[in-house]
């Protein structure tokens, strides 16, 4: 899209009373935003505009708004941000099917046709270390099976989902609740660069838009809209992830949930989703099995459903067997492991290192440990 086209889109969007659906309706009627902006009053009324709205379109936005749009267009060019519209062939096909697709998408990185085979993973920002580790493992397995992982680049579960996709050498897409020129949260700057190298960072908001709380619920419809299904992990009752789950259901997407402790407030929202009918997920294969029938044959051929072939289990010594036997997918402290195994601190430290090097154990901050 050149600067003239982008300017006309932004001018049309900036007019009071012109929401996304009205933009799409008018562009469909007149062929392009420029055609809408120059259409006669009677023609605007003929396609359904009220007299007041038609008059607003003919007048156009105020001079101050035009200056702001000019600055936005220059910033898009300077930062080499990609902009696509709903009518572009590169616009994500699955996103086109939702009731209110964004007319414009700004993105950095790359979008590919294979991103139509995508799943969203969302959850709490204050997720437990164990919940983040399990989310990362599931995202990694999905990525290895060819799925693009979509999330919101937030702290906690979102970041774990992106990291898992990258570890699985797959693609991942981050959808922001601010302008695509912003990085939020700011400490995810390095993660953002990794996502851009193996996927895309995108937003519907104009460049320069700050991360405000009311932006995120609407952003969530894009996360679910890009995906065949949505997995919710460690979401509290007030988590925005539950909004994403509801939007996914409204869009006809499958909703999955990772079960958590019934005593953990951070898991009550996602556990409630299971009570209300969301599919309980224990591993990536559970999601793949459910989603495979939705895919087109060409995409389905790229995925093998079911559990991966079992890897050969390394032969373990007595101390390794004892220690591995008490570990689970719930993180445990070193002191808890010492108490449950009866091994000394030195034995636990040496044995844990051996299991970690074999990829059988994951160390978390604390330090805490869990099975892989």
């Amino acid at each position: 899209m050149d600067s003239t086209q982008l300017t006309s889109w932004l001018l049309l969007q900036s007019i009071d009373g012109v929401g996304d659906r009205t933009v799409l309706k008018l562009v469909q009627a007149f062929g392009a935003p420029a055609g809408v902006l120059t259409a006669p009053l009677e023609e605007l009324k003929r396609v359904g505009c009220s007299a007041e709205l038609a008059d607003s379109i003919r007048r156009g936005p105020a001079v101050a708004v035009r200056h702001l749009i000019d600055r936005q267009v220059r910033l898009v060019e300077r930062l080499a941000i990609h902009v696509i519209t709903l009518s572009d062939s590169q616009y994500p096909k699955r996103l086109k099917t939702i009731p209110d697709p964004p007319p414009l998408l700004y993105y950095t990185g790359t979008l590919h046709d294979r991103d139509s085979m995508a799943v969203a993973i969302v959850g709490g920002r204050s997720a437990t270390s164990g919940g983040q580790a399990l989310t990362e493992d599931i995202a990694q397995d999905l990525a290895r099976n060819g799925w693009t992982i979509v999330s919101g680049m937030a702290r906690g579960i979102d970041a774990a989902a992106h990291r898992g996709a990258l570890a699985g050498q797959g693609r991942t897409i981050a959808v922001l609740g601010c302008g695509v020129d912003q990085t939020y949260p700011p400490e995810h700057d390095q993660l953002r660069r990794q996502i851009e190298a193996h996927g895309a960072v995108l937003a519907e908001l104009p460049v320069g838009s700050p991360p405000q709380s009311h932006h995120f619920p609407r952003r969530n419809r894009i996360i679910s809209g890009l995906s065949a299904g949505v997995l919710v992990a460690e979401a509290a009752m007030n988590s925005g992830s539950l909004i994403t789950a509801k939007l996914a259901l409204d869009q006809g997407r499958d909703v999955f949930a990772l079960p958590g402790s019934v005593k953990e407030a951070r898991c009550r929202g996602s556990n409630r989703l299971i009570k209300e009918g969301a599919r309980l997920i224990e591993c990536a294969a559970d999601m793949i099995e459910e989603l495979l029938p939705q895919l087109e044959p060409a995409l389905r051929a790229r995925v093998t459903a079911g559990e991966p072939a079992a890897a050969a289990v390394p032969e373990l010594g007595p101390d390794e067997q004892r220690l591995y036997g008490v570990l689970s997918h719930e993180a445990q402290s070193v002191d808890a492991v010492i108490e449950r195994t009866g091994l000394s601190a030195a034995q636990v430290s040496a044995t844990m290192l051996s299991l970690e090097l074999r990829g059988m154990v994951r160390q978390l901050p604390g330090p805490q440990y869990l099975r892989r």
Side-chain angles (χ1 to χ4, degrees):
M1 182 185 298
D2 62 32
S3 59
T4 302
Q5 291 172 315
L6 178 56
T7 298
S8 63
W9 275 96
L10 295 177
L11 287 171
L12 182 58
Q13 286 187 310
S14 69
I15 295 170
D16 289 340
V18 178
D20 287 351
R21 295 188 185 187
T22 302
V23 167
L24 296 175
K25 177 182 175 182
L26 291 172
V27 170
Q28 185 175 19
F30 293 98
V36 179
L37 294 169
T38 57
L41 279 172
E42 293 306 315
E43 286 296 304
L44 291 169
K45 293 176 185 177
R46 186 182 60 79
V47 298
C49 293
S50 65
E52 182 181 2
L53 179 56
D55 189 53
S56 295
I57 293 172
R58 290 297 298 133
R59 287 198 312 270
V63 173
V65 174
R66 292 176 181 272
H67 289 327
L68 176 61
I69 288 172
D70 288 341
R71 288 199 296 271
Q72 289 175 345
V73 171
R74 288 196 297 270
L75 187 58
V76 165
E77 292 179 329
R78 181 165 63 82
L79 298 178
I81 293 170
H82 305 289
V83 188
I84 53 175
T85 73
L86 190 64
S87 59
D88 291 332
S89 61
Q90 201 176 4
Y91 194 96
K93 293 181 177 61
R94 199 179 292 276
L95 187 59
K96 283 185 178 182
T97 67
I98 71 173
D100 52 350
L104 287 180
L105 283 178
Y106 304 82
Y107 72 94
T108 55
T110 57
L111 292 173
H112 288 305
D113 286 342
R114 62 177 177 269
D115 293 330
S116 60
M117 201 173 92
V119 292
I121 302 179
V122 295
R125 289 173 170 81
S126 59
T128 65
S129 298
Q132 293 182 59
L134 185 53
T135 298
E136 190 172 330
D137 286 344
I138 290 175
Q140 182 173 338
D141 287 343
L142 287 167
R144 283 175 174 164
N145 277 278
W147 294 86
T148 295
I149 305 301
V150 181
S151 197
M153 210 172 80
R155 301 176 181 96
I157 293 297
D158 286 21
H162 292 303
R163 288 195 300 266
L166 295 167
Q169 298 182 340
R171 286 182 54 78
T172 183
I173 295 174
V175 185
L176 304 183
C178 54
V180 77
D181 58 312
Q182 316 279 311
T183 297
Y184 183 80
E187 65 266 24
H188 284 173
D189 183 63
Q190 182 178 357
L191 177 61
R192 178 194 176 124
R193 290 196 297 271
Q194 293 172 328
I195 293 170
E196 288 171 332
H198 301 277
V201 175
L202 63 83
E204 66 173 327
L205 293 166
V207 293
S209 301
Q212 297 178 340
S213 58
H214 64 274
H215 290 160
F216 291 91
R218 187 156 175 77
R219 176 278 307 261
N220 293 348
R221 85 190 193 288
I222 301 177
I223 292 177
S224 56
L226 287 165
S227 311
V230 175
L231 171 62
V232 180
E234 289 206 357
M237 292 298 291
N238 62 348
S239 172
S241 305
L242 302 185
I243 297 175
T244 310
K246 181 182 183 306
L247 290 165
L249 289 173
D250 292 343
Q251 295 166 352
R253 282 22 175 188
D254 286 326
V255 175
F256 309 91
L258 199 61
S261 170
V262 296
K263 295 183 178 181
E264 177 58 72
R266 287 175 284 193
C267 300
R268 285 179 186 158
S270 40
N271 285 348
R272 189 187 71 177
L273 288 176
I274 295 172
K275 291 172 66 176
E276 294 175 348
R279 172 78 183 270
L280 186 152
I281 292 301
E282 295 179 316
C283 60
D286 292 339
M287 290 186 69
I288 295 173
E289 178 184 6
E290 192 79 12
L291 293 172
L292 267 182
Q294 298 185 27
L295 300 182
E296 298 173 2
L299 292 176
R300 199 180 308 157
R302 291 169 41 197
V303 183
T304 301
E307 292 281 3
V313 178
E315 189 173 332
L316 301 179
D319 288 351
E320 291 173 327
Q321 290 179 0
R322 186 183 304 180
L323 191 151
Y324 190 70
V326 304
L327 291 176
S328 69
H329 294 298
E330 296 290 332
Q332 299 182 54
S333 68
V334 172
D335 290 341
V337 174
I338 290 172
E339 182 179 349
R340 295 184 65 189
T341 59
L343 299 173
S344 68
Q347 287 174 305
V348 167
S349 179
T351 306
M352 201 72 81
L353 177 60
S354 173
L355 292 173
E356 192 175 358
L357 291 173
R358 298 187 193 197
M360 300 179 69
V361 166
R362 180 195 291 262
Q363 181 179 354
L364 303 175
Q368 295 181 310
Y369 294 89
L370 48 75
R371 272 192 190 187
R372 294 206 64 177

